[in-house]
Amino acid sequence: MVPKTRLGKRSPLGTLVCGSSAEGLTETGPHGCPDSGLHRSKLYPGQKVYVHCGGQECGGVVEQHNHVDNEVSIFLPQLNQHVHRKLEDVWTRPTSSFTSSVSSSIDVPRRSPETVDMDEIMAAMVLTSLSCSPVIQHSAPGSATQALCGMENGGGELSDGGYWSCDHGNGSPAPSPPIAEMDKSALLVDEGLDMELDQMLFNKPTARKRKVVTQSKPVSVPVSCHWTPSLTVHQSKQGSPFRLRSVSVGEQWLQNNNATFRPHPASVSPPRNHCTSRRIRGEAKKCRKVYGIEHRDQWCTACRWKKACQRFLD
DNA sequence: GATGCCGGGGT
DNA sequence: ACCCCGGCATC
Ligand SMILES: [Zn+2]
């Protein structure tokens, strides 16, 4: 699954990498003629570099070096932001008398690129994730996102050589957009919470996790929590877990106001609005009805499985 | 009570 | 994924 696209150079210890030390290999000019900068060299994640930013020179840490268009994404701790620079505009040493006080706080180990290993990669990852955590996908393209993509792919394994060349983020087998991911995880959290709360609040020893949830017959428990116009959260009388369902507020409101208000005994919980999504039963006869239980084998699979009929759609 | 099917369990 | 079923909502 690992994208084989374009990574030709990385295999046995990057052919592009000059044999000399990563640091010394460039600096030539007395101080910063861009062309003498990092021209044609390779930067590795975690490497300390300097760029001009807002008329000032800033120290930063390489996050990623895109060899294709020779762009380097750099994290500037000083400004707490990520920038992209052409390789020519990046220095490995201060180009002016300005010595970054910040840079001293980031101790990048001096090692040859060949030895770029987990430590450095992880360090860079940590930097990125620290600085731009939740909004990561909106940050500069190709920086943190890719770092994360690396992590998603198995704990930052970067099996084939490191050097975040994971270019279009297609490294992950399940191509799900980041936002969806977030949603999903949120849901997962919700579910987890839900479960635990279920157990906690209902004092269920355990057995089967989670039964029921949406119904409002007296006595049975549940719960549908949702928002009403007044922004309250309804719970069953036993105060069961927060269960958020996707019902639009408007819809909910309509339901609440249309519902025959049978005062619920001993309860402030709202009338029946079995929030959401149990599909309305269509009038079409389904396999069960059509063929009868005795011919169950003629039912569509869904019907046999007690799922929504696939043969007689509504 | 019958029917439809969601949610969940087992394999 | 496939299969089954408890149990709820609705007819
Ligand atoms: Zn069917």
Side-chain angles (χ1 to χ4, degrees):
Chain A
M1 294 304 179
V2 181
K4 297 283 184 188
T5 60
R6 157 159 73 121
L7 286 173
K9 302 202 171 75
R10 60 196 158 138
S11 35
L13 305 178
T15 52
L16 230 182
V17 180
C18 340
S20 60
S21 88
E23 289 290 319
L25 58 87
T26 49
E27 253 353 270
T28 50
H31 92 134
C33 158
D35 277 337
S36 67
L38 290 168
H39 199 52
R40 292 194 61 75
S41 69
K42 178 164 186 163
L43 297 175
Y44 56 91
Q47 182 172 358
K48 187 165 65 179
V49 293
Y50 298 87
V51 297
H52 286 288
C53 193
Q56 212 190 5
E57 181 170 325
C58 301
V61 180
V62 172
E63 288 179 336
Q64 185 188 12
H65 179 180
N66 186 337
H67 316 294
V68 177
D69 36 59
N70 247 353
E71 266 201 359
V72 186
S73 60
I74 299 162
F75 173 60
L76 304 174
Q78 201 172 357
L79 305 174
N80 193 29
Q81 67 181 28
H82 302 264
V83 297
H84 283 228
R85 286 290 184 275
K86 286 293 182 185
L87 183 61
E88 299 86 72
D89 301 329
V90 179
W91 289 266
T92 51
R93 288 184 194 163
T95 61
S96 62
S97 55
F98 163 79
T99 49
S100 163
S101 58
V102 171
S103 62
S104 61
S105 67
I106 299 181
D107 192 18
V108 178
R110 316 255 149 165
R111 272 178 285 172
S112 70
E114 287 90 341
T115 58
V116 170
D117 58 80
M118 275 334 233
D119 290 350
E120 288 175 355
I121 290 167
M122 288 308 288
M125 280 177 170
V126 167
L127 274 179
T128 32
S129 51
L130 274 181
S131 59
C132 56
S133 38
V135 245
I136 215 135
Q137 58 268 40
H138 300 307
S139 64
S143 55
T145 317
Q146 295 185 358
L148 276 207
C149 117
M151 295 183 101
E152 272 187 25
N153 279 349
E157 183 159 334
L158 293 176
S159 56
D160 38 16
Y163 291 95
W164 302 345
S165 305
C166 93
D167 37 1
H168 298 48
N170 49 0
S172 101
S176 48
I179 293 187
E181 276 305 321
M182 305 265 297
D183 285 348
K184 204 191 293 176
S185 58
L187 281 179
L188 286 179
V189 168
D190 175 81
E191 290 298 305
L193 248 180
D194 186 76
M195 229 175 69
E196 286 176 15
L197 282 175
D198 251 356
Q199 293 184 353
M200 249 167 41
L201 294 173
F202 294 122
N203 223 355
K204 283 183 183 171
T206 52
R208 312 231 151 191
K209 56 177 185 178
R210 163 126 67 97
K211 292 242 153 203
V212 186
V213 185
T214 46
Q215 72 169 352
S216 50
K217 281 185 185 168
V219 170
S220 60
V221 181
V223 114
S224 44
C225 321
H226 45 259
W227 277 17
T228 66
S230 55
L231 296 180
T232 55
V233 172
H234 294 292
Q235 294 181 243
S236 72
K237 50 183 172 180
Q238 298 195 22
S240 69
F242 298 97
R243 187 162 189 86
L244 304 178
R245 294 248 166 175
S246 53
V247 165
S248 78
V249 173
E251 190 180 350
Q252 187 63 61
W253 192 86
L254 281 177
Q255 286 183 3
N256 282 348
N257 286 275
N258 284 337
T260 42
F261 209 103
R262 256 193 277 153
H264 207 85
S267 167
V268 286
S269 74
R272 9 191 334 118
N273 37 11
H274 71 294
C275 64
T276 80
S277 79
R278 193 165 176 121
R279 79 174 58 186
I280 308 148
R281 202 201 293 202
E283 61 262 39
K285 287 186 181 175
K286 304 298 164 61
C287 301
R288 180 187 180 110
K289 188 81 177 246
V290 171
Y291 303 109
I293 299 188
E294 57 277 14
H295 297 113
R296 195 169 184 265
D297 50 328
Q298 298 180 25
W299 298 4
C300 71
T301 350
C303 282
R304 264 185 285 126
W305 298 349
K306 288 182 156 188
K307 299 290 188 233
C309 180
Q310 298 166 334
R311 186 174 298 167
F312 304 107
L313 304 172
D314 297 321

